[in-house]
């Protein structure tokens, strides 16, 4: 996204000479990947020659490069600040708008992403990155027909965009189910629900989620993801059709909270609904605090710890698994492909994850756990993040958990 820098063409006068010197110093710093120094020099040139296109262009590029470097370390909030500055300096350049749209998506700031990506496309219609990101933003905003239109255009132009065909098919399948769903909102959530859902249930789902928002926010030491967060409530057959998940899956978070409200034709009771919604909402918080690389066991373990107590059946199962040495290792529990395990094996995986996170959470408090997530978000490998914050390896932690069940 970074264009080459250009040398300043001189007009007459001392200001222009000084501006050219600062510009050259900026180019030199840029070449050494010293973004701060490059920005500071280009800023001085810009102060002297604010209308000069080359100076504006170079300053804008330097902010984009600085943002890019920060994003590599997952510091998206700081990256966003550079891009906002870049856009102010060179408002006709679509590149920082696309970059900013992508970062807002990463920060789950969907309305902000939509605004910036629409601006980018206005300046440069046909930019495939901008159209693809905008499709994603519309999708996350649960505007499925608009998302589909963006992605159809991109796929027509470039059928081989990595992963896009799959996302397109998924949205298409969901739209077939959710096409005529109604919408409702609360302070932090937007719900889509089937037309014939009893009114009090829609209110109940939103109320339980708002309570989860407060409670999980408090327990995690103040993690409050930006809203509105999308929730889709289904009947069980609609849930399976839209998600292609089997019936033992109680709900799912895939960027939106998806929850079936019925089981074998009956509406779930309030306690079961509270448990499922709280569990999925914890995934929203984990994704917000820890980014996309949090291992499965930490994510599911925390979701379970904050939504229910370990049942006596689960405790018995854990005891048996540890005595018979059938327990998983933590590295077995890393990837998201675990969701394809058979239900009873999956139950053990969940119980082990819960027992492990429970030990970490109860013994050392939320602060260390949240610090570990923040390290993972900044690109630290999960086991290294564990070692830094708990002075334990996977293997020592496994033994400690197992000792509680022997
Ligand atoms: Zn889960």
């Amino acid at each position: 996204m970074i264009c080459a820098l250009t040398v300043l063409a001189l007009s007459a006068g001392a200001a222009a000479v000084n501006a050219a010197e600062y510009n050259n110093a900026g180019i030199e710093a840029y070449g050494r990947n010293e973004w701060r120094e490059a920005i500071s020099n280009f800023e001085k040139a810009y102060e002297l020659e604010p209308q000069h296109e080359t100076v504006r262009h170079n300053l804008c590029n330097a902010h984009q490069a600085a943002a890019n470097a920060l994003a590599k370390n997952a510091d998206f909030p700081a990256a966003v600040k550079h891009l906002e500055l870049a856009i102010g300096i060179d408002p006709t350049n679509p590149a920082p708008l696309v970059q900013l749209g992508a970062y807002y998506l990463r920060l789950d700031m969907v309305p902000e992403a939509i605004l910036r990506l629409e601006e980018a496309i206005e300046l440069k219609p046909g930019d495939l990155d901008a159209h693809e990101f905008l499709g994603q933003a519309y999708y996350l905003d649960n505007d499925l027909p608009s998302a589909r239109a963006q992605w159809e255009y991109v796929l027509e132009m470039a059928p081989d965009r990595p992963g896009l065909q799959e996302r397109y098919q998924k949205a298409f399948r969901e739209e077939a189910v959710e096409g005529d769903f109604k919408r409702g909102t609360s302070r932090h959530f937007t719900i889509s629900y089937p037309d014939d859902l009893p009114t009090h249930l829609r209110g109940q789902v939103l109320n339980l989620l708002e309570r989860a928002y407060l409670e999980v926010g408090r327990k995690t030491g103040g993690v409050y993801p930006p809203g509105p967060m999308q929730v889709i409530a289904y009947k069980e057959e609609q849930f399976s059709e839209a998600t292609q998940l089997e019936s033992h899956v109680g709900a799912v978070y895939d960027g939106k909270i998806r929850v079936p409200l019925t089981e074998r034709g009956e509406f779930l009771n309030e306690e079961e609904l509270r448990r499922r919604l709280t569990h999925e909402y914890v995934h929203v918080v984990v994704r917000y605090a820890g980014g996309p690389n949090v291992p499965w066991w930490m994510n599911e373990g925390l979701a379970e710890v904050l939504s229910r107590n370990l049942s006596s059946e689960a405790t018995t199962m854990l005891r048996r698994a540890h005595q018979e040495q059938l327990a998983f290792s933590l590295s077995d529990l890393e990837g998201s492909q675990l969701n394809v395990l058979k239900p009873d094996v999956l139950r053990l995986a969940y119980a082990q994850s819960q027992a492990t996170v429970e030990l970490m959470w109860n013994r050392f408090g939320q602060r260390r756990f949240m610090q570990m997530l923040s390290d993972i978000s900044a690109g630290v490998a999960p086991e290294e993040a564990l070692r830094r914050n708990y002075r334990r390896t996977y293997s020592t932690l496994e033994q400690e958990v197992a000792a509680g069940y022997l």
Side-chain angles (χ1 to χ4, degrees):
M1 286 189 191
I2 308 300
C3 331
L5 295 182
T6 30
V7 178
L8 193 57
L10 284 180
S11 54
V17 173
N18 287 335
E21 275 169 9
Y22 283 127
N23 185 64
N24 289 339
I27 291 172
E28 205 258 325
Y30 189 101
R32 286 183 276 113
N33 296 355
E34 298 285 351
W35 315 125
R36 197 185 292 265
E37 193 186 328
I39 288 170
S40 143
N41 278 297
F42 290 138
E43 269 173 352
K44 285 175 191 143
Y46 177 65
E47 270 164 35
L48 294 165
E49 293 277 322
Q51 295 311 320
H52 204 293
E53 210 174 306
T54 303
V55 171
R56 289 218 314 266
H57 190 73
N58 287 351
L59 179 53
C60 180
N61 276 348
H63 278 298
Q64 276 190 267
N68 194 40
L70 288 161
K72 279 193 182 139
N73 291 318
D75 191 351
F76 291 97
V80 159
K81 282 185 196 141
H82 277 287
L83 292 173
E84 292 286 4
L85 288 170
I87 290 162
I89 293 154
D90 196 356
T92 59
N93 183 355
L97 289 165
V98 179
Q99 200 178 347
L100 182 57
Y103 296 170
Y104 275 139
L105 279 178
R106 177 61 183 72
L107 289 166
D108 296 325
M109 296 169 71
V110 176
E112 289 82 355
I114 290 176
L115 182 74
R116 291 318 197 171
L117 292 164
E118 285 178 344
E119 282 173 356
I121 289 171
E122 221 166 89
L123 289 169
K124 190 183 173 195
D127 183 306
L128 292 185
D129 286 334
H131 284 288
E132 184 173 342
F133 286 135
L134 184 58
Q136 182 68 14
Y138 287 151
Y139 174 78
L140 290 172
D141 196 41
N142 223 26
D143 181 354
L144 300 181
S146 303
R148 223 149 55 74
Q150 297 295 326
W151 286 345
E152 269 164 9
Y153 169 74
V154 177
L155 286 170
E156 248 165 57
M157 296 294 125
D160 296 331
R161 300 282 283 192
L164 185 56
Q165 188 65 43
E166 291 73 18
R167 272 186 289 152
Y168 173 78
Q169 294 299 342
K170 183 172 183 286
F172 199 67
R173 203 170 60 223
E174 290 160 7
E175 197 186 356
V177 177
E178 300 158 25
D180 48 8
F181 276 23
K182 296 260 180 301
R183 268 195 188 219
T185 55
S186 65
R187 174 62 57 185
H188 304 100
F189 298 88
T190 296
I191 186 173
S192 300
Y193 57 96
D195 205 6
D196 54 350
L197 184 75
T199 320
H200 75 275
L201 263 174
R202 178 191 6 141
Q204 190 178 47
V205 170
L206 288 173
N207 177 256
L208 289 168
L209 282 165
E210 289 293 345
R211 275 161 51 189
Y213 177 88
L214 284 179
E215 193 180 316
V216 175
R218 182 174 55 73
K219 287 183 180 165
T220 51
V223 181
Y224 298 104
M229 289 165 265
Q230 297 290 336
V231 188
I232 327 271
Y234 306 89
K235 293 180 181 165
E236 58 198 310
E237 60 281 1
Q238 295 170 324
F239 176 77
S240 319
E241 200 181 325
T243 63
Q244 312 256 290
L245 290 168
E246 290 179 44
S247 59
H248 68 265
V249 175
V252 68
Y253 172 65
D254 61 359
K256 304 176 190 181
I257 295 175
R258 301 174 190 276
V259 61
L261 298 183
T262 61
E263 199 166 61
R264 289 183 284 280
E266 302 280 324
F267 284 110
L268 301 176
N269 65 45
E270 183 170 0
E271 175 49 25
E272 179 59 17
L273 195 53
R274 183 203 63 75
R275 192 191 67 68
R276 291 189 192 186
L277 291 170
T278 306
H279 176 108
E280 299 309 326
Y281 178 69
V282 174
H283 288 321
V284 180
V285 166
V286 169
R287 145 103 200 172
Y288 183 64
N293 298 324
V294 176
W296 189 91
W297 67 268
M298 277 184 206
N299 202 347
E300 296 303 337
L302 187 64
E304 290 291 81
V305 166
L306 297 185
S307 65
R308 67 155 121 200
N309 296 321
L310 205 55
S311 68
S312 57
E313 291 88 350
T315 310
T316 310
M317 177 172 56
L318 282 172
R319 197 159 283 140
R320 190 170 310 141
H322 284 298
Q323 282 161 359
E324 295 171 12
Q325 306 203 325
L326 295 172
F328 290 99
S329 73
L330 288 177
S331 24
D332 289 339
L333 299 178
E334 288 268 0
S336 56
Q337 75 284 2
L338 281 160
N339 285 324
V340 302
L341 293 176
K342 291 215 161 50
D344 52 333
V345 188
L346 195 57
R347 263 198 293 279
L348 174 61
Y350 272 98
Q352 256 191 269
S353 304
Q354 180 169 4
T356 307
V357 173
E358 201 164 82
L359 182 145
M360 297 163 79
W361 191 265
N362 290 348
R363 196 175 301 171
F364 302 103
Q366 48 83 3
R367 194 181 295 224
R368 262 198 228 195
F369 197 90
M370 299 316 286
Q371 183 55 49
M372 178 175 66
L373 291 187
S374 149
D375 289 352
I376 292 171
S377 164
V380 178
E383 189 168 1
E384 170 61 16
L386 175 76
R387 202 190 56 71
R388 273 190 205 177
N389 291 284
Y390 291 87
R391 300 214 194 95
R392 280 161 176 76
T393 62
Y394 273 10
S395 151
T396 52
L397 182 59
E398 278 159 21
Q399 288 162 22
E400 225 169 330
V401 174
Y405 294 93
L406 287 174

